[in-house]
Amino acid sequence: MPKHFLMCRPEHFTVEYAINPWMDPEAGADREVAIRQWEVLKSAYESLGHKVSLIDPIEGLPDMVFAANGALVVGGRVYGARFAFPERAAEGPAYLRWFTDRGYQAQAAEHVNEGEGDFLTLDEFVLAGTGFRTDLVAHNEAQEYLGRPVISMRLVDPRFYHLDTALFPLDGHNVAYYPGAFSEGSRRVLESLFPDAVIASEADAAVLGLNAVSDGRNVVINAEATELQLELKRRGYDVIPVDLSELRKAGGGPKCCTLEIRGEI
Ligand code: ARG
C-alpha cells in the first residue's frame, strides 16, 4: 500500500537555538549537506512508490523541515500541532493552513502537542508520548477529535524527547523501541501490548535509529543503526539506510522529516 507523505525542504535549516540536547548552536550545521541528505530521503520514498507532497519552507523557521511535528492526520482528519517552544510556534498554523487550503477537515489544538513527533498511529490505537513536549491533556484532545483510542507513554530520557525518537511502528500491529527511553510503567504497558517487539540497543537509539519509517515491508532508517538493521533484516524487512547526519545535529532523523497523511479526503 503506497503511502502519502508531506515533507518540507530544509531551505532555511540552521541550528541557531537549542531546544533539545542534540542541538549545539556554536557548532551549527551545514545547510547544503542537509538539503542533499534530505533529497536522498525524498527519493527513497518515491522509489518505494510512495507519494511525497511538499509544504513551502518559511524563512526564520529552521526546524520546519521536521514535518512530523506539523500535525497528526488520521482518517483524513487533521489535528493541528501547538508547539512547546516559541521558536517553533509559527509552524503549527503554517502546517494547518496547508491542509485547510486543500479541503481537509482540520482542528487547531487547544493543548500543547507536537504532531506525529509524539503521536504514532497503529491499526487499533494511537501511541502518544509525554514528558518533554506534548501535554498529557492533548492525548485526550486527540482521542476525542479522532475517535481513536490514544494510549499515553511517559518519556524519561531528554535525548529521546519525542516518542518518535524512541519507538516506531513496524506495521499496524507491532513496534520497535528502546526501553530506556520510557518510564517503568510505560515499559510494562509496551511489553504487554507488543510481546513480539523489536528491542533496540542504547547504541542504536543514540544515533536516532528508532526515528525510522516503515511501510510494513521496507524500513527507511539512519545508516548508523547497524544492529537494529540486522534484526529488521532477520525479521524479513527490506532495510533502506539513509544518512541524515546533518539533520541529526538538530535532533531529527528520517521520521522527523516525514508527516504521514492517513486517509485522503
Ligand atoms: N529541533 C527540533 C526540535 O527539537 C527537532 C524535531 C525533531 N522531530 C521529531 N519528530 N522528533 O523540536
Side-chain angles (χ1 to χ4, degrees):
M1 266 285 274
K3 290 180 178 278
H4 184 186
F5 297 133
L6 180 59
M7 298 180 74
C8 180
R9 201 164 186 269
E11 271 163 45
H12 305 292
F13 177 66
T14 59
V15 177
E16 62 189 34
Y17 51 74
I19 56 173
N20 70 54
W22 302 84
M23 301 175 88
D24 177 1
E26 301 266 288
D30 186 326
R31 182 181 299 152
E32 292 312 311
V33 176
I35 292 175
R36 280 203 297 277
Q37 294 178 339
W38 178 92
E39 294 286 359
V40 174
L41 175 67
K42 176 173 176 280
S43 307
Y45 291 141
E46 287 165 341
S47 42
L48 291 170
H50 303 308
K51 173 176 167 187
V52 176
S53 293
L54 297 176
I55 181 171
D56 288 335
I58 297 173
E59 206 182 332
L61 296 176
D63 274 334
M64 193 170 170
V65 55
F66 301 118
N69 300 128
L72 167 67
V73 189
V74 179
R77 290 168 81 92
V78 182
Y79 173 58
R82 178 182 285 264
F83 283 81
F85 290 101
E87 290 88 340
R88 299 194 67 187
E91 293 181 46
Y95 276 93
L96 201 68
R97 201 169 322 115
W98 189 92
F99 286 102
T100 51
D101 283 353
R102 284 156 186 82
Y104 281 85
Q105 191 186 336
Q107 175 173 292
E110 231 174 87
H111 298 288
V112 170
N113 83 88
E114 298 199 347
E116 280 201 321
D118 274 320
F119 287 104
L120 295 172
T121 304
L122 288 102
D123 285 353
E124 308 297 333
F125 50 82
V126 176
L127 292 177
T130 191
F132 296 102
R133 299 289 179 91
T134 297
D135 280 350
L136 191 54
V137 276
H139 297 181
N140 186 253
E141 188 178 25
Q143 171 169 288
E144 289 301 312
Y145 178 60
L146 300 170
R148 295 271 187 121
V150 174
I151 300 175
S152 295
M153 296 285 136
R154 185 161 293 277
L155 298 163
V156 296
D157 181 331
R159 291 174 298 169
F160 310 111
Y161 56 93
H162 276 142
L163 182 63
D164 74 354
T165 63
L167 179 149
F168 72 95
L170 292 162
D171 54 30
H173 307 280
N174 200 11
V175 301
Y177 68 98
Y178 167 55
F182 295 91
S183 68
E184 148 91 43
S186 296
R187 271 203 304 265
R188 276 161 43 211
V189 173
L190 288 170
E191 281 161 20
S192 76
L193 287 175
F194 308 109
D196 193 33
V198 170
I199 301 298
S201 67
E202 180 172 13
D204 283 339
V207 292
L208 291 182
L210 289 159
N211 195 252
V213 176
S214 173
D215 62 13
R217 189 183 168 149
N218 309 284
V219 182
V220 178
I221 182 171
N222 268 342
E224 299 89 341
T226 48
E227 269 180 80
L228 184 53
Q229 290 179 45
L230 279 179
E231 176 59 14
L232 292 167
K233 285 181 196 161
R234 209 181 57 77
R235 297 218 187 186
Y237 291 93
D238 281 338
V239 171
I240 296 97
V242 290
D243 175 10
L244 287 190
S245 49
E246 215 52 36
L247 290 156
R248 192 166 48 224
K249 294 177 180 171
K255 170 59 206 170
C256 296
C257 298
T258 313
L259 172 56
E260 184 172 347
I261 302 176
R262 286 187 198 75
E264 299 296 326
I265 42 160

